[in-house]
Amino acid sequence: MTIIVTGGAGFIGSNFIFHMLKEHPDYRIVCIDKLTYAGNLSTLKNVMDHSNFRFVKIDICDRTAVYRLFEEETPDIVVNFAAESHVDRSIENPDVFLQTNIMGTAVLMDACRKFGIKRYHQVSTDEVYGDLPLDRPDLFFTENTPLHTSSPYSSSKAAADLLVLAYFRTYLLPVTISRCSNNYGPYHFPEKLIPLMIINALADKDLPVYGEGLNVRDWLYVEDHCKAIDLIIHKGRVGEVYNIGGHNEMKNIDIVKIICKALGKPESLIKHVGDRKGHDMRYAIDPTKIHSELGWLPDTKFAEGIQKTIDWYLKNEDWWKPIVSGEYQKYYEEMYGNRT
């Protein structure tokens, strides 16, 4: 079995590669990644010499390069993690999100049609559903919840999902889609909430929190997400969407306070900054379908997962310190420096 994993030098994609090489040692894993700002080849250093692993630097929008790789590797399964994913960046520059997240998806599926595959899996997000009110804790996103996007990022992912389902209906391409809640864990790029707060707290820097920090997210340890995708590509029904969530809702401000306490840092480091445009209030996933059909449930409680994540960042400064220097600092200042 040969699996092409796109965006495999990113956060979730790299963790998925580690999971698959461990759980399916006879599989060949081919990782393609454009290595943009969030794609870090050092993340994959421990598997680069693995006999069943190959890395190829490719932009999924480059049809010629993608087709050439498919011809060389004749993959059985394609799992598409490749995406521009940071909401703030999508507000600043929507165009790159439309190119990668929509057109890149189309190129991959055209390659799948041309060369024949057993499964194309699209890794999507719960953000395609919009948000839920804070005063209705009984409401959850299901696979039948209408798409109601709030940002250029989520709109591009929703468009890609619709395109994937259209390829299933029109061309009978064997597809599945998963929509997951917020992930956390090792190798998470430092612009995201949890790694940003850990790294800033370690340096006694301000901890920027949008608004009052009352926005609620459902958090899932990345390893549990990888296990879910593994199940879907092997046992999921073609043409179906599966929601992946942990029933672990937390306010952003509470996450930050947990990190402060774990690191022995004062909450006075917390700095409330101007809120994001169109900021969704609450995400909450109902994972009943994947549990009832495939038997998946998350294994990692948040208290355990957040401590494992903090410990990882404490032990792996050699991974994140080069990231937070140089160009990333300029972006950080653009995003947070002028907020009051």
Side-chain angles (χ1 to χ4, degrees):
M1 181 83 76
T2 296
I3 300 180
I4 286 181
V5 178
T6 71
F11 167 44
I12 305 176
S14 61
N15 277 281
F16 180 72
I17 288 171
F18 304 148
H19 167 83
M20 295 300 288
L21 288 173
K22 178 183 176 183
E23 297 298 322
H24 305 280
D26 56 331
Y27 284 15
R28 176 172 170 78
I29 306 296
V30 180
C31 169
I32 67 177
D33 200 296
K34 187 181 177 181
L35 295 180
T36 54
Y37 76 97
N40 189 345
L41 201 55
S42 69
T43 301
L44 298 171
K45 66 180 181 179
N46 291 333
V47 298
M48 289 297 284
D49 294 328
H50 195 290
S51 59
N52 282 350
F53 177 77
R54 178 190 179 193
F55 175 82
V56 185
K57 186 176 184 293
I58 288 179
D59 180 349
I60 61 170
C61 295
D62 185 342
R63 189 176 294 270
T64 300
V66 169
Y67 281 19
R68 185 186 305 119
L69 181 68
F70 273 63
E71 189 171 19
E72 291 174 4
E73 293 291 349
T74 60
D76 300 285
I77 296 173
V78 174
V79 182
N80 181 26
F81 291 94
E84 295 286 345
S85 65
H86 194 50
V87 174
D88 286 341
R89 288 181 183 267
S90 80
I91 294 171
E92 295 298 317
N93 182 19
D95 183 66
V96 68
F97 285 73
L98 305 181
Q99 287 295 322
T100 299
N101 297 355
I102 303 173
M103 297 310 299
T105 296
V107 169
L108 290 172
M109 289 193 297
D110 286 341
C112 289
R113 289 178 56 218
K114 180 178 176 66
F115 294 97
I117 49 98
K118 297 176 181 176
R119 178 67 58 89
Y120 172 87
H121 182 74
Q122 178 76 0
V123 180
S124 187
T125 170
D126 59 356
E127 294 193 41
V128 300
Y129 297 123
D131 64 351
L132 296 167
L134 293 177
D135 60 355
R136 288 293 307 275
D138 57 311
L139 295 180
F140 297 90
F141 297 138
T142 73
E143 290 81 1
N144 295 319
T145 299
L147 305 187
H148 187 68
T149 60
S150 304
S151 69
Y153 161 61
S154 57
S155 297
S156 67
K157 291 297 288 185
D161 286 3
L162 293 174
L163 193 62
V164 170
L165 294 174
Y167 270 60
F168 168 65
R169 179 165 180 170
T170 303
Y171 304 114
L172 301 181
L173 188 71
V175 307
T176 43
I177 297 172
S178 59
R179 295 173 179 154
C180 191
S181 55
N182 282 39
N183 279 212
Y184 67 101
Y187 300 106
H188 205 174
F189 194 75
E191 70 185 353
K192 303 290 185 164
L193 178 70
I194 288 178
L196 176 64
M197 297 302 142
I198 293 171
I199 291 169
N200 277 20
L202 287 172
D204 295 309
K205 292 183 178 180
D206 286 343
L207 306 179
V209 175
Y210 283 132
E212 296 303 309
L214 302 180
N215 307 74
V216 173
R217 299 293 182 261
D218 176 23
W219 292 93
L220 185 71
Y221 193 61
V222 64
E223 209 171 272
D224 290 328
H225 186 188
C226 296
K227 292 175 182 176
I229 294 174
D230 187 359
L231 277 172
I232 293 169
I233 62 176
H234 287 99
K235 299 180 179 179
R237 288 185 292 135
V238 168
E240 293 293 319
V241 176
Y242 292 91
N243 281 352
I244 306 171
H247 276 311
N248 188 70
E249 294 180 52
M250 301 281 292
K251 295 176 184 176
N252 286 350
I253 190 66
D254 292 336
I255 296 276
V256 179
K257 289 179 179 179
I258 288 171
I259 291 170
C260 286
K261 183 177 180 180
L263 293 174
K265 300 294 183 177
E267 292 183 9
S268 59
L269 290 175
I270 297 172
K271 179 183 179 182
H272 293 275
V273 300
D275 210 348
R276 168 192 291 163
K277 297 175 182 177
H279 202 174
D280 290 337
M281 290 308 299
R282 173 176 172 254
Y283 301 152
I285 283 278
D286 180 354
T288 299
K289 180 177 179 178
I290 190 172
H291 173 59
S292 61
E293 289 192 15
L294 306 180
W296 178 88
L297 283 174
D299 294 323
T300 311
K301 301 295 183 184
F302 185 78
E304 174 193 355
I306 192 65
Q307 190 58 56
K308 286 169 67 175
T309 301
I310 291 170
D311 290 344
W312 187 89
Y313 279 89
L314 289 171
K315 295 174 183 175
N316 290 275
E317 291 186 0
D318 59 330
W319 180 83
W320 57 261
K321 277 193 171 181
I323 297 174
V324 299
S325 62
E327 290 302 309
Y328 179 77
Q329 288 295 337
K330 294 181 182 179
Y331 167 73
Y332 177 91
E333 289 300 322
E334 289 173 3
M335 286 296 103
Y336 297 109
N338 61 357
R339 293 178 184 268
T340 58

